[in-house]
């Protein structure tokens, strides 16, 4: 491998070929550590502060090392950025002839079979003029597109209902039985991935497809020499999701939709089928209606206290069982009917297992309720052993990197959660001058967060700071309820005329675009804006966090994990809850300073930062900003600098 110093130096290859490149000693050290890890097939957990340039730090050694590399990212946006910009730039600079493939989940690719079915189907109940126009645009795009990736058709909104009709899911894919199998976009994307030297995926796809072998991608991992996880702090949550089991009323209603189409087109003479489909559809909707709340999580013990839920679940199982038997009797009449039978059978098995299973002692069973759907979940209490088993199959390098993996440079929590018992760890500070660029403000006089009027007090404390910053702020909340209350209070505040943007008023990208354009706006958001958001320059000069982001202790999965840890004689708060809160807080705080010229204030309203013994551990995990409790210092900070 060429000398990395000559590549990363101020007059090196990258400096000559990549616009805006600056030599950073942290980046060079990180690249060297990754090169060593790849050469020795080891495991590295690497935290790199904002501005380190971790993307180049892992791309250069990965592309130079040869062999097959899988890069897994936190989002599809970052996937596209790597595939379209970062990797081509590095490849051109290094002059290495590596081939690269982008692989997304199947829902991102148009399905010829389902598109054809939708074009033939005159019974699509949701169809309106816009959707008909979208369907025609999708048909034209599918006929000329090489990859069928729906992101290439920006004229059709990403959330348009028609996409569900023209893409497949793991359930609805007909596989090799499909009449359009030979021209399938998903199969073509997989073929390219198998041939490529570097494959860019996202965490959801990695766990759903590669780990669980659900999508037939089991050839990818064995052939791979290096796996790199960017935004690796998201992995515990994603892995928990995919190492568990779930079944939702939404999946059942998707089955209903497809079964209706197949029944009309392939079994029109079988009169019992439409009635059974309708009965199961009503039973699925009735189950959702047994819980009045929206966006809530309920433990098994709690949901079992609801007699309406138990009765509705039994009724749904009965109707689904009837439908499964009828679909089986008609399965040979079309590939689509055969697929519907297999799905119904699988859904029935999962639901019965969730209701009756007594052997899932290492799992927690719970219910998540969305606006229109209800999901039954069984989540493993620990993913460490499951993940370990996936890693020890063949020798390869595993690299986990993010700006937020440690607590005061201690990786114990993350490594224990992921089962990384033999991992090397390394930490590189951000090259930014936080002592000069940023100020941490914790106001005095606020009540404890459990106080009934806490959010009102936090907003009162924030108002003079928002005036001093002239808007240009993110107000990040730990709950949707607090977010809504902050919006109402700021809307009603006297002599306060900054534009307010509330999460949910548009897509995240639209909201960020508006925020940048307005230049003095206040964006009030919850989880969506805590990470993966990059606003540089004066438009964002203040980040306010309403309270420390401890997960609600009544969350069924968290509650079961706390009980397990404490039951083993350990301290769940110090080992699990506190480290998770620190990692989340670091993500929110990381929105503030995004480059060398940025300047701003981080305001954390929560008094526990100063009143609790663990508070010191939290602020010591944040970048080394100057700290104050005096409003006058904050006002002076804004007065002595222009914007950031």
């Amino acid at each position: 491998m060429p000398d990395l110093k000559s590549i990363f130096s101020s007059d090196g290859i990258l400096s000559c070929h990549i616009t805006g490149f600056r030599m950073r000693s942290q980046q060079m050290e990180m690249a060297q550590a990754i090169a060593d890890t790849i050469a020795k097939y080891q495991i590295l957990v690497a935290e790199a502060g904002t501005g380190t340039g971790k993307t180049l730090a892992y791309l250069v050694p990965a592309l130079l090392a040869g062999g097959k590399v899988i890069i897994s990212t936190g989002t599809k946006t970052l996937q596209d950025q790597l595939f379209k910009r970062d990797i081509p730039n590095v490849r051109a600079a290094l002059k290495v002839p590596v081939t690269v493939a982008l692989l997304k989940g199947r829902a991102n690719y148009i399905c010829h079979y389902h598109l054809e079915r939708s074009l033939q189907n005159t019974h699509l109940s949701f169809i309106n003029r816009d959707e008909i126009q979208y369907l025609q645009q999708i048909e034209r795009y599918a006929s000329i597109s090489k990859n069928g990736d729906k992101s290439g058709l920006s004229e059709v909104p990403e959330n348009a209902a028609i996409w569900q009709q023209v893409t497949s899911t793991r359930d609805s894919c007909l596989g090799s039985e499909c009449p359009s199998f030979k021209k399938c976009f998903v199969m073509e994307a997989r073929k390219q991935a198998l041939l490529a030297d570097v494959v860019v995926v996202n965490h959801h796809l990695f766990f759903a497809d590669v780990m669980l072998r659900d999508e037939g991608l089991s050839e990818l991992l064995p052939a791979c020499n290096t796996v790199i996880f960017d935004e690796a702090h998201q992995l515990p949550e994603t892995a928990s999701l995919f190492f568990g089991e779930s079944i939702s009323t939404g999946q059942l209603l998707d089955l209903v939709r497809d079964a209706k189409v197949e029944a009309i087109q392939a079994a029109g003479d079988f009169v019992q089928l439409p009635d059974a489909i309708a009965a199961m559809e009503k039973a699925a909707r009735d189950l959702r209606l047994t819980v009045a709340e929206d966006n809530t999580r309920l433990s098994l013990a709690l949901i079992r206290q609801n007699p309406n839920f138990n009765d509705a679940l039994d009724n749904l199982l009965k109707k689904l069982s009837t439908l499964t038997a009828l679909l089986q009797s008609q399965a040979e009449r079309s590939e689509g009917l055969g697929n519907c039978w297999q799905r119904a059978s699988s859904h029935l098995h999962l639901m019965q297992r969730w209701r009756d299973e007594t052997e899932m002692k290492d799992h927690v069973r719970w219910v998540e309720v969305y606006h229109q759907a209800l999901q039954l979940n069984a989540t493993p209490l620990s993913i460490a052993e499951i993940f370990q088993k996936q890693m020890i199959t063949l020798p390869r390098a595993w690299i986990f990197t993010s700006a937020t993996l440690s607590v005061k440079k201690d990786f114990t929590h993350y490594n224990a959660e992921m089962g990384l018992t033999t991992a090397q760890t390394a930490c590189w500070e951000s090259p930014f001058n936080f002592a000069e660029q940023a100020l941490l403000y914790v106001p005095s006089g606020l009540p404890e967060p459990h106080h009934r009027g806490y959010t009102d007090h936090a907003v009162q404390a924030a108002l003079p700071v928002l005036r001093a910053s002239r808007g240009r702020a993110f107000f990040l909340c730990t709950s949707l309820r607090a977010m809504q209350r902050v919006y109402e209070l700021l809307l009603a505040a006297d002599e306060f005329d900054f534009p307010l943007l509330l999460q949910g008023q548009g897509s995240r990208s639209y909201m960020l675009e508006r925020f940048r354009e307005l230049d003095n706006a206040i964006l009030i958001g919850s989880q969506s804006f805590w990470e993966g958001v990059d606003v540089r320059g004066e438009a964002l000069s203040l980040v306010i966090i309403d309270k420390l982001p401890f997960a609600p202790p009544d969350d069924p999965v968290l509650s079961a994990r706390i009980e397990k840890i404490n039951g083993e004689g350990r301290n769940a708060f110090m080992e699990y809850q506190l480290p998770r809160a620190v990692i989340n807080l670091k993500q929110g705080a990381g929105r503030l300073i995004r480059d060398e010229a940025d300047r701003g204030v981080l305001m954390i309203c929560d008094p526990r930062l100063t009143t609790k013994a663990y508070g010191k551990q939290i602020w010591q995990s944040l970048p080394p900003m100057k700290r104050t409790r005096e409003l006058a210092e904050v006002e002076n900070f804004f007065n002595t600098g222009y914007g950031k």
Side-chain angles (χ1 to χ4, degrees):
M1 185 184 287
D3 176 35
L4 290 175
K5 285 184 181 175
S6 66
I7 294 171
F8 284 94
S9 64
S10 52
D11 57 352
I13 295 170
L14 296 179
S15 181
C16 297
H17 287 84
I18 294 179
T19 309
F21 176 83
R22 291 185 187 183
M23 200 283 284
R24 301 178 181 96
S25 58
Q26 297 95 327
Q27 186 181 52
M28 196 186 296
E29 289 171 18
M30 184 178 175
Q32 189 61 60
I34 289 171
D36 293 344
T37 302
I38 293 172
K40 297 171 186 172
Y41 290 130
Q42 290 179 333
I43 302 167
L44 176 67
V45 179
E47 181 175 274
T50 310
T52 305
K54 59 185 169 66
T55 305
L56 290 181
Y58 66 69
L59 281 181
V60 170
L63 266 57
L64 288 173
K68 195 174 186 78
V69 181
I70 295 177
I71 301 173
S72 182
T73 72
T75 62
K76 286 183 283 188
T77 306
L78 188 51
Q79 251 190 296
D80 285 332
Q81 181 184 308
L82 276 166
F83 180 70
K84 293 174 183 173
R85 189 189 76 190
D86 297 336
I87 296 175
N89 286 348
V90 174
R91 181 173 57 183
L94 298 176
K95 296 184 172 59
V96 285
V98 296
T99 53
V100 188
L102 178 70
L103 192 59
K104 297 180 181 178
R106 63 169 64 253
N108 293 278
Y109 301 96
I110 295 165
C111 168
H112 291 292
Y113 177 81
H114 286 97
L115 173 60
E116 193 61 37
R117 279 294 206 238
S118 297
L119 290 166
Q120 292 172 3
N121 183 14
T122 56
H123 298 268
L124 288 174
S125 56
F126 69 87
I127 280 284
N128 56 39
R129 191 173 296 166
D130 282 346
E131 298 288 340
I132 291 169
Q133 189 180 346
Y134 293 155
L135 186 59
Q136 291 167 346
Q137 287 174 311
I138 292 168
E139 181 187 17
R140 283 197 296 273
Y141 175 68
S143 68
I144 58 168
S145 173
K146 288 183 179 177
N147 57 27
D149 186 340
K150 70 180 192 181
S151 69
L153 185 59
S154 55
E155 296 91 331
V156 179
E158 196 176 341
N159 59 354
I162 191 67
W163 283 121
Q164 288 186 305
Q165 312 295 323
V166 299
T167 54
S168 70
T169 63
R170 195 170 72 242
D171 292 335
S172 66
C173 174
L174 301 181
S176 57
E177 301 297 312
C178 180
S180 303
F181 183 72
K182 287 184 179 174
K183 59 177 182 176
C184 174
F185 288 126
V186 174
M187 292 308 298
E188 182 56 31
R190 285 185 191 169
K191 195 189 300 177
Q192 296 303 321
L194 289 170
L195 295 171
D197 301 311
V198 179
V199 186
V200 184
V201 300
N202 59 58
H203 299 337
H204 278 75
L205 184 70
F206 185 89
F207 283 101
D209 295 357
V210 182
M211 287 302 198
L212 302 186
R213 314 284 196 261
D214 278 346
E215 299 272 356
L217 286 179
S218 47
E219 308 102 307
L220 252 189
L221 198 57
C224 159
N225 303 88
T226 305
V227 180
I228 300 171
F229 292 107
D230 199 344
E231 301 298 329
H233 64 277
Q234 297 175 3
L235 292 180
E237 199 70 31
T238 310
S240 291
L241 185 70
F242 286 103
F243 289 153
E245 293 178 1
S246 67
I247 175 70
S248 76
T249 56
Q251 285 172 276
L252 294 173
L253 295 178
D254 286 347
L255 170 63
V256 162
R257 179 196 68 209
D258 295 343
K260 280 180 181 176
V261 174
E262 295 296 340
I264 291 164
Q265 295 183 357
D269 57 344
F270 189 60
V271 292
Q272 290 169 273
L273 195 51
D275 291 344
I277 293 169
M280 198 275 279
E281 179 177 15
K282 182 179 184 305
R285 296 190 189 280
D286 286 346
L287 181 67
R288 167 62 190 89
L289 294 173
T290 61
V291 182
E293 303 96 325
D294 267 4
N295 298 312
T296 189
R297 294 176 158 203
L298 303 168
S299 66
L300 182 65
L302 203 58
I303 198 72
R304 279 188 168 162
Q305 292 172 19
N306 179 341
N308 294 335
F309 173 85
N310 296 323
D311 292 345
L313 181 59
D314 287 343
N315 182 52
L316 176 54
L317 282 164
K318 186 177 166 187
K319 302 300 184 194
L320 181 55
S321 182
T322 301
L323 177 60
T324 303
L326 291 174
L327 285 168
Q328 183 178 9
S329 72
Q330 305 299 306
E332 291 185 359
R333 298 181 72 165
S334 77
E335 295 93 341
L337 277 173
N339 172 262
C340 288
W341 164 52
Q342 289 170 351
R343 287 160 67 187
S345 180
S346 170
H347 295 344
L348 181 63
H349 170 74
L350 281 175
M351 291 184 74
Q352 286 172 333
R353 182 171 157 81
W354 188 91
R355 184 191 64 177
D356 303 330
E357 189 59 63
T358 54
E359 295 171 16
M360 299 184 83
K361 62 180 186 299
D362 294 329
H363 287 65
V364 53
R365 281 178 284 166
W366 54 288
V367 171
E368 185 150 23
V369 187
Y370 304 99
H371 183 54
Q372 292 184 317
L374 180 148
Q375 183 163 295
L376 310 178
N377 301 287
T379 305
L381 284 169
S382 168
I383 61 162
E385 285 183 22
I386 308 172
F387 191 67
Q388 268 180 341
K389 283 177 188 168
Q390 304 293 347
M391 291 180 69
I392 59 174
T393 48
L394 285 168
R396 66 176 60 86
W398 296 82
I399 291 139
F400 302 78
T401 184
S402 167
T404 56
L405 293 172
S406 75
V407 178
K408 285 173 56 183
K409 302 184 181 178
D410 182 348
F411 294 86
T412 304
H413 166 74
Y414 185 80
N415 288 354
E417 206 172 4
M418 293 298 295
L420 305 176
T421 50
T422 61
Q424 311 284 318
T425 60
C427 192
W428 289 276
E429 298 279 6
S430 166
F432 300 155
N433 185 353
F434 280 95
E436 294 291 328
Q437 291 177 250
L439 181 67
L440 170 60
Y441 172 50
V442 181
S444 50
L446 284 179
E448 289 288 310
H450 58 74
H451 187 280
R452 194 174 172 185
Y454 175 79
T455 301
D456 296 43
H457 286 281
V459 170
Q460 283 307 308
L463 279 169
V465 185
L466 287 163
R467 290 189 179 105
S469 70
R470 304 192 303 281
R472 304 182 302 158
F474 276 6
F475 204 129
L476 301 178
C477 302
T478 50
S479 71
L480 293 171
R481 185 181 298 163
M483 180 185 83
Q484 194 63 45
R485 182 63 180 156
V486 168
Y487 179 67
E488 291 164 5
L489 290 167
L490 291 181
L491 211 53
D494 293 333
E495 298 175 31
F496 195 80
D497 56 359
F498 301 108
L500 298 180
L501 301 172
L502 179 67
Q503 177 182 314
Q505 290 175 339
S507 68
R508 189 168 82 157
S509 55
Y510 168 77
M511 300 283 285
L512 288 170
E513 199 178 312
R514 288 285 296 139
F515 181 83
R516 291 185 184 103
E517 283 170 0
L518 288 164
D519 205 41
N520 68 337
I522 299 163
L523 193 156
I524 305 150
S526 185
Q527 199 58 47
S528 294
F529 289 91
W530 278 71
E531 62 176 278
V533 174
D534 192 0
V535 179
R536 299 175 188 221
E538 294 189 10
L540 180 59
S541 297
L542 170 65
V543 170
I544 301 173
I545 291 174
D546 72 334
K547 62 173 80 165
L548 297 174
F550 286 105
D554 58 351
D555 177 274
V557 179
L558 177 63
S559 174
R561 285 177 176 165
I562 289 171
E563 193 178 323
K564 179 178 184 286
I565 293 168
N566 288 338
E568 293 167 354
R570 292 147 58 204
N571 185 329
F573 179 78
M574 295 305 290
E575 280 187 37
Y576 192 75
Q577 291 165 275
L578 181 61
R580 284 186 68 158
V582 169
I583 287 169
N584 286 339
L585 182 67
K586 285 165 73 174
Q587 277 294 329
R591 298 314 99 215
L592 183 64
I593 304 297
R594 304 302 298 173
D595 69 27
E596 287 92 339
D598 279 357
R599 222 173 152 264
V601 171
L602 171 65
M603 176 179 178
I604 302 176
C605 300
D606 198 321
R608 291 175 294 183
L609 208 55
T610 57
T611 60
K612 300 293 184 187
Y614 58 77
K616 187 176 182 182
Q617 200 170 336
I618 294 175
W619 61 253
Q620 285 180 341
S621 295
L622 294 171
M625 311 174 188
K626 186 182 175 189
R627 302 186 304 278
T628 186
R629 305 206 67 192
E630 301 299 327
L631 176 61
E633 276 198 66
V634 175
E635 291 171 333
N636 185 53
F637 182 91
F638 284 119
N639 290 335
T640 55
Y642 294 96
K644 279 189 172 180

